[in-house]
Amino acid sequence: MPTSTSRVIWRNWHETVIQPVIQYENLRNVSEAQSTVGGYNQTARTIQGHIQHALEQETSLRAAGGGWSFAPVAATDGILLGTQRLNYRFALRQEHLIRQYAPGEFPVLLQCGISIADANAYLAGRDQALRTSGASNGQTIAGALGTGTHGAALDIGAVQDYVVAIHLAISPSETIWLERKDYPVLRPEVMELFRARPFLDNDVFDAALVSFGSFGIVLGVVIEPDPLYYLHAWRQPIELTNAVWQTITSFEFQNDMLPGAGGRRPRHLELILNPYGSRETMVTTMYQETARPTGSARPSLDGGFGKGDSALDVIGVITDKWDGSSSLAASLFKAAYKPYANIAGTPGEIFKATSTRGRGASSAMGIPSSRAQEAFELAGDIVRKHAAPAIVAMRFVKATNAVLGFTQFTPVTCVLEVDGAFSSRTRMAQQEVWETLESKSLPYTFHWGKMNNLDDRRVRARYGNDRVTRWLSARNQVLPTPELRRLFANEFTDQLKLSG
Amino acid sequence: MLDQLPTIITLLIALSVATERVVEIIKSVIPRLDIADPDPKREGRRRAMLHLLAVVGGVAIATGSWPIVSEVLGRKAGPIDISTTLALGLLASGGSGFWNSILSYFVSIKDLKRAESRERVGLPPDEFLPQPAEGQLVS
């Protein structure tokens, strides 16, 4: 398999992580025109060769994925594998599967490096779609899985919640095919085709879902898509009264209070607060339809104030230096988050962004619904107090089974986001939000791919001692030797005492 | 230089937004500036006055925010450079819409350069990752 080697300083997409690496390897499949089992297996062997090499060098090995995380979760100073070209996709038919699937719901096997955007494009060609994804979609499927990437899918969950099998390279000589014991999907002969040892275990599977590359190198995943659907979308300003909050956090939507509802339950629900704007909050709702609704417009949801890679950067500098600049930030955000109505598209058409507007600072916290209003309002107050060039958003995501998934609050986790230009004001506001949530004993978790202040104490306090212990125990089962556990660790897991 | 252009243009957008706001405030104080005049001569004078206000506003804002402007432009702290603030003020008076379109153009160029540099280290341009055909499970 061809590879190219370069000594580089690796940077993540959002330019918040700068990581010198001993070696960076861009991997590619032997044929890039046709997905083949032989090619997939050859790539797996090459990755296992890198595992061998890293063991000999006594250094760590990680996959960089799309570099989409704001936190140094994927980074290593050892060997980093570029996996973005590893984007094979395989159809699965009933003869490959233990479970019975209805037409249109057959799972697919995706190689680790396929981006979420490309996965949606591939699935659209099969009249299918991902059940949910983030708002921007440059992540690889393995990266989105490993960090618990989420959208605002009220009744669906996050990316890991539709993954039903994970193929992991765990040593120079072994790959494992991980599935839940109580939800087996593929027949053993298919696992044999990929030279993988079947590993069926509920606890280990749930722990491996959100494991940020620490259980081995993800070679591929099997996902359960939905039959192709359309999202019928609205974004309208609404004053978030107590009654509206009650409707939202009860997750019962009979009273048509939400934009465009017409008696429908939203599939996607999101609140966006411009802290410097009016009292009204932008409420984005999307309703599932099997066909494009008559009279709806096609999506063109580009924000508005310009596509500058440096725009957020400049806003950050300006607002850091100029106390009166929050009104400027307000104008810019207002331009970026315009209301819209009656727009419909497939998930791939709606969530199509794969580029961003510069050096951003993004932080997301999972909050239980009983404290959602309090958390949202205090975050808005803190952003205003610091005059930070940031918005406050909240998205609603069904609780996950993943042991360290940050969307762990039942029945629905409210994801509080403080996102903005990378400036000291934004960073100070984020820090104060985290501290205030803690001081108010408000339970919360951190999105693994975004900015956080986690350390070994906080990771246990935030996610639960029991969950961390279960995760470590599952990792020990998959990686039985200290050398292997060291191999797939990095500075981030060391800091959190998750390297084992 | 090309790498810096989007930053400079984004600065101009910020200055333009601020300038437009100043002009809007003045228009609300002097309502006749906000109403088109049926007489072509007087309408011409009104429009010229608005342009002049935008230029003066742009220069004033660029001057007033010189510490920020100089930092964004990557200059060392120092006294206000009159010619730079004059130029920025004149350019900002063009309006944020104009600079937005220019920015889109330069971002496209930057994307092309990024694609070239990705290709040099063995990665395909972002938009052009090879998309292999769907495979079947046969050995």
Side-chain angles (χ1 to χ4, degrees):
Chain A
M1 188 181 96
T3 62
S4 59
T5 304
S6 61
R7 292 183 66 81
V8 291
I9 290 178
W10 179 79
R11 289 167 193 263
N12 65 340
W13 184 267
H14 300 285
E15 301 172 39
T16 51
V17 179
I18 297 171
Q19 176 70 63
V21 295
I22 293 173
Q23 192 179 332
Y24 183 87
E25 289 285 341
N26 280 319
L27 303 177
R28 59 168 74 181
N29 290 314
V30 65
S31 159
E32 295 193 312
Q34 174 68 47
S35 310
T36 64
V37 172
Y40 179 102
N41 285 341
Q42 200 172 333
T43 300
R45 280 196 298 276
T46 303
I47 289 174
Q48 288 179 284
H50 286 298
I51 293 176
Q52 175 70 48
H53 179 60
L55 279 171
E56 286 164 6
Q57 300 291 311
E58 295 183 355
T59 188
S60 70
L61 178 76
R62 309 279 291 186
W68 214 252
S69 289
F70 289 82
V73 65
T76 173
D77 56 3
I79 300 170
L80 201 55
L81 302 178
T83 54
Q84 283 176 291
R85 294 184 87 120
L86 307 183
N87 59 355
Y88 278 177
R89 63 287 312 259
F90 296 94
L92 297 173
R93 295 193 301 271
Q94 194 57 62
E95 64 261 33
H96 306 129
L97 302 162
I98 291 173
R99 312 191 71 76
Q100 290 293 317
Y101 284 91
E105 293 182 355
F106 277 94
V108 293
L109 166 61
L110 302 175
Q111 204 181 12
C112 57
I114 191 169
S115 73
I116 294 288
D118 288 343
N120 250 332
Y122 159 61
L123 289 171
R126 294 170 49 89
D127 285 334
Q128 291 181 310
L130 293 177
R131 289 182 178 173
T132 186
S133 69
S136 61
N137 289 306
Q139 313 97 330
T140 61
I141 187 74
L145 166 69
T147 55
T149 296
H150 63 97
L154 199 57
D155 298 323
I156 305 292
V159 168
Q160 72 269 14
D161 298 310
Y162 54 80
V163 169
V164 290
I166 308 170
H167 186 196
L168 279 168
I170 57 163
S171 79
S173 57
E174 194 175 33
T175 74
I176 59 169
W177 194 276
L178 197 52
E179 292 185 4
R180 285 183 69 92
K181 193 170 186 179
D182 65 3
Y183 198 89
V185 178
L186 263 79
R187 293 189 177 282
E189 50 269 32
V190 175
M191 304 179 197
E192 208 172 293
L193 202 58
F194 290 106
R195 297 165 189 176
R197 172 166 65 91
F199 196 131
L200 274 66
D201 187 303
N202 294 351
D203 294 336
V204 173
F205 182 79
D206 288 347
L209 285 171
V210 176
S211 58
F212 28 90
S214 306
F215 274 54
I217 303 294
V218 174
L219 299 172
V221 298
V222 175
I223 63 157
E224 289 181 338
D226 272 349
L228 189 64
Y229 59 94
Y230 288 81
L231 290 167
H232 197 196
W234 269 259
R235 184 195 285 155
Q236 297 293 320
I238 287 185
E239 189 175 344
L240 289 185
T241 58
N242 287 340
V244 176
W245 270 111
Q246 200 172 348
T247 297
I248 288 174
T249 53
S250 70
F251 308 109
E252 301 292 338
F253 301 98
Q254 288 97 342
N255 56 10
D256 274 1
M257 204 174 260
L258 297 176
R264 296 175 295 179
R265 181 176 175 82
R267 182 172 173 125
H268 174 115
L269 175 61
E270 183 180 3
L271 315 175
I272 303 165
L273 171 73
N274 178 351
Y276 312 107
S278 64
R279 287 169 52 82
E280 292 175 326
T281 298
M282 286 292 181
V283 178
T284 305
T285 48
M286 299 187 192
Y287 306 91
Q288 182 177 341
E289 294 290 345
T290 50
R292 199 185 296 276
T294 313
S296 61
R298 285 179 177 269
S300 170
L301 303 181
D302 185 29
F305 65 82
K307 294 182 175 176
D309 280 349
S310 316
L312 281 177
D313 223 356
V314 174
I315 295 165
V317 172
I318 290 171
T319 50
D320 267 355
K321 298 284 173 188
W322 183 15
D323 276 342
S325 60
S326 54
S327 59
L328 172 63
S331 306
L332 293 169
F333 289 135
K334 207 171 166 186
Y337 292 99
K338 288 176 182 159
Y340 56 78
N342 196 17
I343 282 172
T346 62
E349 289 171 343
I350 297 259
F351 304 115
K352 61 188 175 188
T354 53
S355 61
T356 52
R357 296 167 189 273
R359 196 169 178 226
S362 183
S363 171
M365 289 73 69
I367 307 275
S369 55
S370 57
R371 310 287 296 268
Q373 180 179 2
E374 181 186 354
F376 190 76
E377 288 172 356
L378 76 83
D381 290 343
I382 291 169
V383 167
R384 258 189 298 273
K385 184 179 108 184
H386 288 277
I391 55 147
V392 174
M394 186 166 272
R395 293 194 271 170
F396 300 88
V397 185
K398 186 186 168 193
T400 184
N401 284 329
V403 175
L404 286 190
F406 91 106
T407 47
Q408 63 174 239
F409 297 103
T410 56
V412 173
T413 299
C414 306
V415 179
L416 173 69
E417 297 174 303
V418 179
D419 293 350
F422 194 99
S423 77
S424 55
R425 286 175 191 272
T426 305
R427 304 288 290 119
M428 280 191 296
Q430 288 173 335
Q431 187 74 36
E432 189 172 332
V433 169
W434 305 336
E435 285 164 6
T436 309
L437 293 175
E438 198 165 334
S439 71
K440 287 183 175 291
S441 302
L442 203 155
Y444 72 99
T445 50
F446 275 114
H447 188 314
W448 291 100
K450 296 194 173 179
M451 289 162 160
N452 60 67
N453 66 351
L454 285 172
D455 56 23
D456 62 316
R457 181 189 63 81
R458 287 196 182 103
V459 76
R460 285 180 179 270
R462 304 268 71 89
Y463 297 84
N465 211 26
D466 171 57
R467 283 175 181 267
V468 174
T469 305
R470 279 164 54 205
W471 187 88
L472 287 168
S473 158
R475 186 167 182 260
N476 287 357
Q477 287 184 61
V478 172
L479 305 172
T481 68
E483 291 76 20
L484 287 175
R485 291 197 287 274
R486 185 64 252 152
L487 180 77
F488 297 114
N490 65 358
E491 203 178 321
F492 182 75
T493 56
D494 288 350
Q495 189 184 321
L496 273 51
K497 290 201 168 45
L498 294 178
S499 300
Chain B
M1 180 60 187
L2 190 61
D3 280 347
Q4 283 181 320
L5 271 174
T7 308
I8 296 167
I9 295 167
T10 309
L11 171 68
L12 284 168
I13 291 175
L15 290 174
S16 301
V17 169
T19 304
E20 283 164 0
R21 180 158 277 224
V22 167
V23 173
E24 285 304 313
I25 291 167
I26 294 170
K27 274 160 56 173
S28 66
V29 175
I30 311 171
R32 65 188 168 86
L33 282 176
D34 200 20
I35 301 161
D37 199 307
D39 176 43
K41 233 176 185 176
R42 283 203 298 268
E43 174 60 9
R45 279 202 294 274
R46 186 187 75 89
R47 290 166 74 100
M49 179 57 78
L50 286 176
H51 285 306
L52 186 65
L53 276 174
V55 172
V56 172
V59 173
I61 290 163
T63 307
S65 54
W66 178 249
I68 305 162
V69 170
S70 60
E71 184 160 333
V72 173
L73 295 177
R75 295 187 173 196
K76 285 179 186 163
I80 294 170
D81 180 345
I82 302 291
S83 56
T84 303
T85 54
L86 200 60
L88 285 173
L90 278 165
L91 291 169
S93 68
S96 58
F98 171 73
W99 289 111
N100 228 343
S101 355
I102 299 286
L103 181 64
S104 298
Y105 172 75
F106 278 106
V107 166
S108 304
I109 293 178
K110 204 176 167 189
D111 286 346
L112 277 175
K113 281 172 68 72
R114 180 181 156 81
E116 281 170 17
S117 62
R118 281 173 65 86
E119 211 161 11
R120 272 201 298 277
V121 295
L123 279 171
D126 298 330
E127 310 286 324
F128 306 110
L129 271 171
Q131 297 298 317
E134 180 181 80
Q136 302 300 322
L137 294 194
V138 285
S139 52

